[in-house]
Amino acid sequence: MVNLAGMTDHTLLKPQATEKDIVALCHEAQQHKFATVCVNPMYVQTAAKLLYGTGIGVAAVIGFPLGATFTEIKVQEIFMVKAHGGKEVDMVINIGWVKSGHWEAVEQDIVQVVEAAHGCSLLIKVIIETSLLTEDEKKTVAEIVKRAGADYIKTSTGFAGGGATVLDVHNLKEWVGENVKVKASGGIRTREFALELVEAGAERLGTSSVLV
């Protein structure tokens, strides 16, 4: 039987999330033994303190949700996440550069952020926002993520009007190969859909729903 909880980043990224909400998120993560909680950077320290010694990691989003900030700022966010006790980061690519065909800039952005994360011993997931990209763009970005040596390629932020699909997960896994894992995120609200995504190749799930 698939252990969905152990594959899930229990997520709360709403702008109106309060500290009380983060405390509740961490309690749920302990209750269900999720892989991590995924929060906005300002709540990393709170979550890290609450989850210390539990074996549950703390992930933070970087350049979120648009990806349109300076690479140097994304790198600085990684340093701050590390300093506050985070273990993983989920970084949004510069989607506008992808749509403009600025592939060298896209690659440099991803490479520098991946190098910064690994330099801090943080696991990094690269969010490509599949709902905004063409199939050719998805494939090209996947190849860049693979070359950059990221730990995961992630489908979606959940903020762009679209989320994970079985087809996208299958294709991404095919494109990145065995050395990069796939995280499916956005619109995962049922155990049945989560299992379909896992069957398609997802090895991590991001959801604000409790699927166990």
Side-chain angles (χ1 to χ4, degrees), residues 4-210:
L4 286 180
M7 303 173 66
T8 297
D9 295 341
H10 194 36
T11 302
L12 180 56
L13 299 170
K14 293 178 181 178
Q16 70 270 34
T18 65
E19 189 168 10
K20 183 178 179 180
D21 295 330
I22 299 301
V23 172
L25 184 83
C26 292
H27 287 328
E28 289 174 357
Q30 291 180 71
Q31 178 185 354
H32 297 290
K33 296 181 170 48
F34 289 120
T36 76
V37 295
C38 185
V39 297
N40 284 304
M42 64 176 289
Y43 285 128
V44 168
Q45 190 170 51
T46 298
K49 287 180 178 178
L50 289 168
L51 295 172
Y52 180 78
T54 65
I56 297 167
V58 177
V61 289
I62 299 298
F64 193 86
L66 304 178
T69 191
F70 295 107
T71 301
E72 294 83 355
I73 300 301
K74 294 177 182 178
V75 168
Q76 192 62 42
E77 283 189 285
I78 285 172
F79 295 155
M80 294 298 293
V81 168
K82 174 68 174 181
H84 284 212
K87 300 296 184 184
E88 304 183 5
V89 287
D90 292 32
M91 182 273 281
V92 187
I93 65 168
N94 192 311
I95 301 158
W97 281 349
V98 171
K99 303 305 291 186
S100 301
H102 297 328
W103 293 114
E104 186 174 343
V106 171
E107 185 152 4
Q108 283 303 307
D109 183 57
I110 294 171
V111 166
Q112 289 181 49
V113 174
V114 169
E115 287 179 350
H118 286 166
C120 293
S121 299
L122 299 180
L123 184 149
I124 179 162
K125 314 180 197 93
V126 178
I127 309 171
I128 70 168
E129 203 67 279
T130 48
S131 66
L132 300 182
L133 307 184
T134 66
E135 289 303 300
D136 285 344
E137 288 165 347
K138 292 172 196 176
K139 185 176 182 180
T140 302
V141 174
E143 291 167 348
I144 290 171
V145 171
K146 180 180 179 179
R147 286 198 298 271
D151 300 290
Y152 284 82
I153 188 167
K154 177 178 171 181
T155 60
S156 321
T157 63
F159 280 69
T165 69
V166 170
L167 180 60
D168 278 336
V169 168
H170 176 271
N171 288 342
L172 289 176
K173 188 59 194 173
E174 187 173 275
W175 294 329
V176 298
E178 293 304 312
N179 292 331
V180 180
K181 298 178 181 179
V182 176
K183 176 178 173 180
S185 183
I188 307 172
R189 298 184 180 88
T190 68
R191 180 178 177 84
E192 291 71 26
F193 184 43
L195 290 171
E196 289 180 35
L197 294 168
V198 171
E199 179 67 23
E203 295 182 67
R204 190 76 73 89
L205 305 170
T207 179
S208 57
S209 303
V210 177

